[in-house]
């Protein structure tokens, strides 16, 4: 996997659990619990003796999983991690020696930064994906917003003080590539073999990350005349007509199509924080993107797509909202 593919997958999965494991014999069970929870990705930190062996065991049992090493504070640890199977290296701070070792060995590296000067240092090494750490203590989402001005080319993996409650704020930030943290895989949950709870916490985070909500319901009618007839019924209920090119919107909640469009019964529009990420999530649930319907914004980010399947006779699409 190239560095670009790795970072794209980070973006699509969107979550990187930060693991501290004391007993390497639990590594496979932990990996399975995370995969079952929809997060085939982890940063296993070198904060315990078991880290190296855990990386080895997880990588062997689940080669498709993105296992990286965290708390890699020198090149020796980076080498150890890569030998064990780590696919990427993360560090809490910016150690030029570690970064140089990784670049020299073509290993994706995400060093930690918390200031503009450190970001510039990263850029001088050609790195435009950096870890923002410790995120909450360093200013959190407002700081990330301020950094997006001068450093629009940089994307961050953010960790430190993130939990299920402030996760949506990070998910909405345009310069956050992926969100990391230990809350889904807390050391005591691992120590107590609470695999179901880890799976539950991962699932909860994956759902919350999408920010899915109902945008509108779409009704099919065969013509503009029919659409306006239907609209006049809703108008009696106090809704406002907004006559567009291909449909009539009633407020923002009901879209009346001017021709028989997708869906036996019509369609459901969902809002989400990041269309590409949520399309990836829906595909993991067995749905498939209708490629002919994908649209992009000026920056090349996906902003809309339908899926090929129907739910209860309704087609459905997602839109950035
Ligand atoms: C890290 O190394 O990224 C942090 O320890 C994770 O922070 P958290 O424990 O606050 O989630």
């Amino acid at each position: 996997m190239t560095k670009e593919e790795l970072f794209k997958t980070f973006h699509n999965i969107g979550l990187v659990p930060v693991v501290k494991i004391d007993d390497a014999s639990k590594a496979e069970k932990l990996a399975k619990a995370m995969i079952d929870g929809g997060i085939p990705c982890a940063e296993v930190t070198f904060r315990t003796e078991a880290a190296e062996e855990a990386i080895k065991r997880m990588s062997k049992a689940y080669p498709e999983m993105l296992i990286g090493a965290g708390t890699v504070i020198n090149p020796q640890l980076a080498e150890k991690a890569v030998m064990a199977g780590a696919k990427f290296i993360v560090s809490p701070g910016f150690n030029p020696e570690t970064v140089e070792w990784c670049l020299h060995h073509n290993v994706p590296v995400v060093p930690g930064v918390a200031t503009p000067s450190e970001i510039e240092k990263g850029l001088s090494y050609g790195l435009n994906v950096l870890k923002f750490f410790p995120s909450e203590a360093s200013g959190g989402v407002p700081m990330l917003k301020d950094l997006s001005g001068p450093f629009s080319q940089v994307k961050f993996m953010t960790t430190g003080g993130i939990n299920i409650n402030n996760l949506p704020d990070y998910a909405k930030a345009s310069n956050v590539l992926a969100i990391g943290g230990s809350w889904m895989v807390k050391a005591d949950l691992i120590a107590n073999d609470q695999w179901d709870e880890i799976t539950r916490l991962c699932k909860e985070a994956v759902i919350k990350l999408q920010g899915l909500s109902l945008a509108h319901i779409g009704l099919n009618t065969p013509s503009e005349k029919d659409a306006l007839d239907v609209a006049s019924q809703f108008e009696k209920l106090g809704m406002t007509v907004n006559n567009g090119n291909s449909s009539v919107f009633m407020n923002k909640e009901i879209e009346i199509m001017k021709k028989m469009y997708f869906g036996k019964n019509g369609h459901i529009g969902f809002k989400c924080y990041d269309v590409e990420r949520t399309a990836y999530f829906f595909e993991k649930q067995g749905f498939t993107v209708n490629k002919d319907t994908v649209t992009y914004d000026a920056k090349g980010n996906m902003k809309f797509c339908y899926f090929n399947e129907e739910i209860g006779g309704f087609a459905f699409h997602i839109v950035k909202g």
Side-chain angles (χ1 to χ4, degrees):
M1 184 182 271
T2 64
K3 189 178 79 174
E4 287 69 29
E5 287 165 346
L6 176 80
F7 290 155
K8 198 177 161 65
T9 310
F10 276 150
H11 166 265
N12 286 341
I13 297 173
L15 292 160
V16 184
V18 175
V19 171
K20 181 171 169 248
I21 183 167
D22 287 300
D23 178 354
S25 72
K26 300 189 176 202
E28 291 91 346
K29 283 195 175 130
L30 172 63
K32 180 166 189 315
M34 284 191 280
I35 291 171
D36 289 348
I39 311 183
C41 181
E43 173 192 328
V44 180
T45 60
F46 271 87
R47 292 176 205 176
T48 65
E49 288 297 315
E52 186 182 359
E53 179 66 14
I55 291 171
K56 218 178 261 175
R57 294 176 76 138
M58 287 165 118
S59 307
K60 186 160 180 248
Y62 300 99
E64 73 284 7
M65 196 173 176
L66 291 183
I67 304 291
T71 322
V72 176
I73 54 172
N74 57 52
Q76 293 75 32
L77 276 184
E79 183 165 12
K80 225 184 214 190
V82 170
M83 294 303 285
K87 294 190 174 84
F88 60 93
I89 297 294
V90 181
S91 56
F94 199 102
N95 180 344
E97 286 177 34
T98 310
V99 169
E100 282 162 21
W101 186 91
C102 291
L103 292 176
H104 183 71
H105 292 88
N106 212 12
V107 175
V109 59
V110 187
V113 297
T115 65
S117 300
E118 291 159 351
I119 294 170
E120 285 195 27
K121 206 161 186 182
L123 288 173
S124 74
Y125 280 92
L127 303 175
N128 55 12
V129 173
L130 298 164
K131 164 159 162 151
F132 183 55
F133 176 80
S135 185
E136 281 292 286
S138 308
V141 172
M143 176 73 163
L144 284 162
K145 214 171 234 168
D146 284 350
L147 292 171
S148 71
F151 302 116
S152 58
Q153 72 277 50
V154 178
K155 298 271 186 226
F156 296 97
M157 281 171 62
T158 57
T159 66
I162 303 173
N163 56 50
I164 193 71
N165 298 315
N166 57 11
L167 173 65
D169 298 332
Y170 284 90
K172 286 182 223 168
S174 61
N175 54 349
V176 170
L177 181 79
I179 299 160
S182 59
W183 85 93
M184 300 156 271
V185 289
K186 281 214 176 338
D188 60 328
L189 295 176
I190 301 171
N192 297 324
D193 298 312
Q194 287 177 267
W195 313 120
D196 289 350
E197 179 62 2
I198 289 173
T199 297
R200 188 191 71 75
L201 289 167
C202 289
K203 275 190 187 163
E204 179 187 49
V206 170
I207 297 291
K208 197 103 183 230
L209 179 72
Q210 314 304 326
L212 271 175
S213 64
L214 185 65
H216 58 256
I217 302 285
L219 311 180
N220 291 330
T221 73
S223 70
E224 174 161 28
K225 182 182 172 307
D226 288 280
L228 289 170
D229 275 355
V230 173
S232 68
Q233 303 296 317
F234 285 115
E235 213 177 358
K236 289 182 201 164
L237 306 180
M239 300 183 93
T240 304
V241 179
N242 186 356
N243 193 358
N245 287 334
S246 53
S247 65
V248 182
F249 261 96
M250 306 306 303
N251 297 347
K252 288 186 172 158
E253 291 89 14
I254 297 177
E255 180 179 25
I256 310 163
M257 309 308 290
K258 296 180 178 177
K259 64 176 183 185
M260 296 310 286
Y261 203 53
F262 293 127
K264 182 160 67 80
N265 298 332
H267 74 264
I268 297 171
F270 291 104
K271 284 187 276 193
C272 62
Y273 298 142
D274 185 311
V275 171
E276 183 176 328
R277 177 180 289 153
T278 296
Y280 179 87
F281 168 64
F282 278 24
E283 291 212 306
K284 293 283 170 209
Q285 309 312 309
F287 302 108
T288 54
V289 170
N290 180 337
K291 299 229 161 38
D292 298 336
T293 63
V294 179
T295 61
Y296 297 89
D297 67 15
K299 287 183 182 158
N301 299 315
M302 237 170 120
K303 65 171 187 183
F304 179 95
C305 74
Y306 264 97
F307 294 82
N308 291 312
E309 297 74 18
E310 293 186 1
I311 298 180
F314 284 85
F316 55 101
H317 68 68
I318 51 176
V319 59
K320 189 170 167 60

